[in-house]
Amino acid sequence: MSGRKMNGKSGTALEHRSEQGRGMIGTNINHFRTQSGISLSELAERAGISKSYLSSIERNLKRNPSIQVIEKIALVLNVDLKTLLEVNLPDPEAKEKQDEEWHAFVEALRQAGIEKDNVQDYKILIEFIKWYRERKQG
């Protein structure tokens, strides 16, 4: 891949895709490695790369390892290369934040006097509001 300027930084298309948040190659490798129960040392040894290099990749310090290195890692992890490069892996921090937002929302409903038993009534009201807005716009 050829380098190009993005946001004042030079980089590759793969790096640019990675910078959009979750899905950096290193984060994905770490996800699958820990999910597989393989240590950093074991993965490095089995993939034939140095432990320090693998650590740098996982910490996203090395954002653009060669395709050959990624293929070796994917083989050891028994993960399809495309999956390892995927940018939409589950983000535990995002899920935690979403859970916190839901808990805050539920608490706000409770403070407003809305009980769990009354949720169905409010669901009907929300559906009516959505229908009314769609009708008004269309």
Side-chain angles (χ1 to χ4, degrees):
M1 288 184 208
S2 62
R4 59 183 178 160
K5 286 269 191 187
M6 289 169 280
N7 300 333
K9 299 178 183 177
S10 65
T12 64
L14 185 57
E15 286 174 326
H16 175 67
R17 185 175 87 172
S18 299
E19 289 171 359
Q20 295 175 354
R22 183 77 173 151
M24 292 182 150
I25 295 168
T27 305
N28 295 351
I29 291 170
N30 179 271
H31 169 81
F32 286 110
R33 180 181 62 76
T34 55
Q35 189 177 47
S36 300
I38 299 174
S39 71
L40 186 76
S41 299
E42 183 180 355
L43 177 56
E45 184 179 326
R46 290 173 55 188
I49 60 176
S50 75
K51 181 179 171 182
S52 62
Y53 184 60
L54 177 58
S55 177
S56 295
I57 294 170
E58 281 197 3
R59 290 180 293 140
N60 296 306
L61 300 175
K62 302 283 186 193
R63 292 187 179 186
N64 198 15
S66 73
I67 194 69
Q68 292 83 5
V69 168
I70 298 170
E71 285 175 333
K72 290 177 185 180
I73 293 169
L75 184 65
V76 172
L77 294 174
N78 197 26
V79 175
D80 182 62
L81 183 61
K82 184 177 176 184
T83 302
L84 197 57
L85 296 173
E86 181 61 50
V87 294
N88 295 320
L89 287 177
D91 185 350
E93 292 173 9
K95 181 175 179 359
E96 189 175 301
K97 182 179 178 193
Q98 184 181 32
D99 288 347
E100 289 173 12
E101 290 172 352
W102 274 108
H103 288 293
F105 176 68
V106 169
E107 185 57 33
L109 291 175
R110 283 188 189 138
Q111 290 177 0
I114 298 172
E115 297 296 323
K116 187 177 176 181
D117 297 338
N118 302 3
V119 170
Q120 188 61 33
D121 296 335
Y122 291 99
K123 182 181 174 193
I124 293 168
L125 178 61
I126 291 168
E127 288 174 3
F128 172 77
I129 292 169
K130 283 173 41 180
W131 170 82
Y132 181 76
R133 285 182 181 165
E134 289 171 3
R135 186 172 166 237
K136 189 175 169 182
Q137 290 176 353

